[in-house]
Amino acid sequence: MESLNKRRSIRKYAGRDVSEELLTRLLREAERTQTMGNLQLYSVVVTRSDEKKRQLAPAHFNQPMVTEAPVVLTICALPGYDNFLSFINAASDALLYAQTFCNLADEEGLGYCYLGTTVYMPQQIIEVLRLPRLVMPVATLTLGWPGENPPQTDRLPVEAILHGETYRDYDAALIDRFYSAKEALPENKEFVRVNDKETLAQVFTDIRYTRRDNEAMSRTFLDALRQQGFMQD
């Protein structure tokens, strides 16, 4: 799939609508993705209204593309049972569906951005979208026709993720080798400099994704799972 090799996250959109016909077709075609036992343990909430997008924005740290994109898709896990394993199965289905939809959107020339913030403050999304018990938001996509052509983000070499037969843990030497090309990129050097750090890892662990923030958002997510009926105390 050539479009996958050219994939970019699009955060700015042209002033052009995504037709209901096109969107429905892509959502229907995405249903052909693989699924747990052919149960299709997912739902998709389509948001087009400006008011509803404004209500969703705070849950996504008010990132501008939430209100500026013509369409916001919230992909939800819809399990059959009220337990954690059932949620994991449903979340896997939902994320597979989301990725297949993204691939189809690429083929049509649409732009999108995957919002990891969905699992940071799910309670707000649950309230805005009126999600009932046993429905949990796991992914959000902003969608529209691209209004920008940003550079592709860098990726680690494939050797960094491959393990032959059994898992080989990472030591400092391997990490340095796998990250050397990424660390050497001019944009990443500047990113490290402006954050007053020595390495990319320090930027991400000390500033962008701190342990304290991760622990706080983990508690929030677990609380939402309990409220939605997946975690039994």
Side-chain angles (χ1 to χ4, degrees), residues 69-83:
V71 179
V72 176
L73 303 176
T74 306
I75 295 92
C76 302
L78 180 66
Y81 299 106
D82 58 350
N83 56 63

Side-chain angles (χ1 to χ4, degrees), residues 42-107:
Y42 53 81
S43 293
V44 183
V45 181
V46 180
T47 302
R48 287 183 178 272
S49 78
D50 291 339
E51 176 58 29
K52 193 62 70 174
K53 285 185 281 189
R54 280 194 293 269
Q55 293 174 21
L56 283 172
H60 298 290
F61 298 101
N62 290 307
Q63 297 177 85
M65 61 270 201
V66 176
T67 53
E68 294 173 3
V71 179
V72 176
L73 303 176
T74 306
I75 295 92
C76 302
L78 180 66
Y81 299 106
D82 58 350
N83 56 63
F84 187 66
L85 179 61
S86 190
F87 166 71
I88 290 296
N89 289 340
S92 298
D93 271 14
L95 293 173
L96 285 167
Y97 179 87
Q99 182 58 63
T100 298
F101 178 87
C102 287
N103 292 342
L104 293 169
D106 278 326
E107 292 295 305

Side-chain angles (χ1 to χ4, degrees), residues 92-202:
S92 298
D93 271 14
L95 293 173
L96 285 167
Y97 179 87
Q99 182 58 63
T100 298
F101 178 87
C102 287
N103 292 342
L104 293 169
D106 278 326
E107 292 295 305
E108 293 291 334
L110 286 162
Y112 57 86
C113 186
Y114 179 95
L115 304 184
T117 45
T118 306
V119 296
Y120 291 174
M121 292 185 283
Q123 186 55 46
Q124 295 184 37
I125 299 172
I126 290 167
E127 292 172 1
V128 170
L129 300 181
R130 300 180 185 176
L131 302 183
R133 188 174 183 272
L134 295 184
V135 178
M136 188 73 180
V138 294
T140 300
L141 300 171
T142 59
L143 181 74
W145 300 102
E148 62 174 346
N149 186 29
Q152 282 189 302
T153 52
D154 55 83
R155 290 291 188 263
L156 291 169
V158 71
E159 293 80 14
I161 67 169
L162 294 181
H163 302 262
E165 307 298 343
T166 58
Y167 194 89
R168 169 211 61 210
D169 205 359
Y170 298 96
D171 58 25
L174 271 179
I175 293 171
D176 287 345
R177 177 158 68 86
F178 290 146
Y179 273 83
S180 60
K182 183 186 279 275
E183 294 271 5
L185 291 172
E187 59 268 31
N188 286 340
K189 285 184 175 181
E190 177 64 9
F191 185 48
V192 170
R193 187 193 68 78
V194 298
N195 282 283
D196 196 27
K197 295 295 178 180
E198 296 180 359
T199 67
L200 280 173
Q202 290 175 353

